[in-house]
Amino acid sequence: GAVVSQHPSRVICKSGTSVKIECRSLDFQATTMFWYRQFPKQSLMLMATSNEGSKATYEQGVEKDKFLINHASLTLSTLTVTSAHPEDSSFYICSARMTSGGGWEQYFGPGTRLTVT
Amino acid sequence: KQEVTQIPAALSVPEGENLVLNCSFTDSAIYNLQWFRQDPGKGLTSLLLIQSSQREQTSGRLNASLDKSSGRSTLYIAASQPGDSATYLCAVRVNNQGGKLIFGQGTELSVKP
């Protein structure tokens, strides 16, 4: 149980275009989802926290107009990178926290590798 | 501001060795601590979660300890195998920031056959 999926697993886009990444909790309901970014050989940096039905809370230094997060249901959150640039190339990982019974343990998706050319 | 540090950054051992990975954190006001494994280009797999009131957790060949007062945790891997090769990440969940996970930089482990 407690599986989180991401789609796509890998995406290449041209500079200036937008790309959407989906995060789904497959077998549980998640009121809270988290989006992280990871650069090569570095740790995960939290970008934003999203709660179902409300606006996401962004970490300091993360541009909310560039990284649009929508947590439309208890099983789906999306991250849209708008007007992507090469410096946005990174590994994006989402995580979901169970609504109940799961304490505060988070379950992580397999990640999405974004390359902006 | 909570900071998490992992030492060493990289470790290479021969198969069969027992090994210890270290994690330290600056603020002892944590809700729990979690150890993860990350294979190259993949997401995270949770290994062990220790609540702040606990001292250790065990799962198979893995044992994680927590000393909250000194801000330290260790992950002990017994009888290491080549399949254990991965990056191991330590993360603490802070009490006063909505339960955010703060990650260390990770230890890249290589177990040689």
Side-chain angles (χ1 to χ4, degrees), chain B residues 13-17 79-82 111-113:
Chain B
V13 300
E15 181 177 5
E17 270 203 11
S80 58
Q81 304 170 358
V111 181
K112 306 294 186 185

Side-chain angles (χ1 to χ4, degrees), chain B residues 43-63:
Chain B
L44 274 65
T45 300
S46 179
L47 298 174
L48 291 164
L49 184 148
I50 311 176
Q51 301 294 347
S52 62
S53 58
Q54 297 175 322
R55 298 282 293 182
E56 66 177 341
Q57 283 285 335
T58 298
S59 176
R61 294 182 293 109
L62 305 179
N63 176 278

Side-chain angles (χ1 to χ4, degrees), chain A:
Chain A
V3 177
V4 176
S5 71
Q6 279 183 245
H7 178 80
S9 59
R10 194 177 287 268
V11 58
I12 301 172
C13 70
K14 292 190 176 180
S15 187
T17 62
S18 295
V19 61
K20 180 185 285 188
I21 303 170
E22 290 187 349
C23 176
R24 293 181 186 273
S25 56
L26 297 186
D27 49 4
F28 66 98
Q29 292 186 327
T31 49
T32 305
M33 287 188 173
F34 305 86
W35 286 95
Y36 295 84
R37 180 165 55 180
Q38 186 179 34
F39 292 106
K41 299 291 186 181
Q42 295 188 27
S43 190
L44 278 72
M45 298 301 296
L46 180 65
M47 300 174 65
T49 302
S50 76
N51 292 292
E52 187 263 338
S54 61
K55 289 184 178 180
T57 302
Y58 290 81
E59 294 299 301
Q60 193 172 10
V62 178
E63 299 176 59
K64 65 176 74 174
D65 294 330
K66 181 170 185 61
F67 298 100
L68 302 179
I69 292 172
N70 186 340
H71 193 161
S73 75
L74 285 172
T75 59
L76 174 64
S77 176
T78 60
L79 167 68
T80 302
V81 183
T82 62
S83 187
H85 290 284
E87 57 264 31
D88 298 324
S89 299
S90 188
F91 193 54
Y92 292 86
I93 303 178
C94 76
S95 175
R97 180 190 292 166
M98 280 186 175
T99 301
S100 63
W104 275 9
E105 188 165 0
Q106 287 175 223
Y107 300 92
F108 286 77
T112 296
R113 172 75 59 193
L114 170 63
T115 303
V116 185
T117 61

